[in-house]
Amino acid sequence: MDWYQTLFEQIDMRSFSNLWFWIVLAVIWSTASHWVLGVPYDMVVRARQQGGQAEADLEDLVRIYVNRLLYIAEVSGLWLIALGCFALTSLALLGIVYEIEFAQAVLLLGFPLSLVGLLSLATARRIRGEDARGEHLRRRLMRHRFYVQVIGMVSIFVTALWGMYQNLAIGPLGG
């Protein structure tokens, strides 16, 4: 038995029957809902509970991340959208038309995350436009986190349904 065969026995390329795919899915959505516009959610909670310096730190960090996100969008936003659309379209074609399971899995991870990216950009623009501070800023961040969690729950549900369908239709051994 050679190392190549041993490696691919350990890393199953069938995504939906692979435990690692489900671990990655859980970690991605856990991370996405914890980091609100790049700011850890515990800072939002601490600013609400303690106020003062914790709130000033939150406002400073949000300002930094909002300016960074909007700068990236202004400088290379069109290229990033074009590259993202190309990647998602390629994954959709490979996954749907050619029925490549790995592409389906990456599409089910990438498409909802692209929605989160667009939501983050819209929220950053709102925060800058409103010059949100204090309670208004915390509410805006909590609302953003709620929408990210909704997208995550729908994504996990759809991915679980599709994964169960794939495992039942194709079977655990791929044929």
Side-chain angles (χ1 to χ4, degrees), residues 32-45 47-48 54-55 57-63 65-66 119-120 123-124 126-127 130 132-149:
S33 68
H34 178 70
W35 292 89
V36 183
L37 292 180
V39 177
Y41 185 70
D42 60 286
M43 282 189 74
V44 178
V45 173
R48 183 181 66 212
E55 189 154 3
D57 291 346
L58 174 69
E59 290 174 359
D60 290 341
L61 197 55
V62 169
R63 179 184 48 79
Y65 277 112
V66 162
L119 178 66
S120 297
T123 302
R126 273 199 197 110
I127 288 172
E130 297 169 347
R133 298 185 184 280
E135 177 64 26
H136 183 66
L137 176 63
R138 289 192 309 271
R139 274 196 325 253
R140 177 73 61 202
L141 293 173
M142 290 188 322
R143 187 175 307 131
H144 175 78
R145 181 176 190 242
F146 174 75
Y147 291 141
V148 168
Q149 288 176 332

Side-chain angles (χ1 to χ4, degrees), residues 8-23 101-102 104-105 108 159-175:
F8 275 94
E9 282 179 6
Q10 296 301 315
I11 304 172
D12 184 13
M13 293 308 282
R14 286 201 12 122
S15 301
F16 298 113
S17 63
N18 190 338
L19 177 63
W20 288 108
F21 172 75
W22 299 104
I23 291 172
E101 187 174 322
F102 184 74
Q104 293 171 0
L108 288 170
T159 303
L161 284 180
W162 185 254
M164 284 188 287
Y165 169 74
Q166 287 290 86
N167 287 334
L168 290 173
I170 296 173
L173 299 176

Side-chain angles (χ1 to χ4, degrees), residues 78-112:
L78 189 58
W79 283 104
L80 289 174
I81 287 177
L83 184 63
C85 288
F86 172 76
L88 291 174
T89 302
S90 298
L91 288 170
L93 286 173
L94 289 171
I96 296 168
V97 176
Y98 295 106
E99 297 179 358
I100 298 173
E101 187 174 322
F102 184 74
Q104 293 171 0
V106 175
L107 179 66
L108 288 170
L109 289 172
F111 179 71

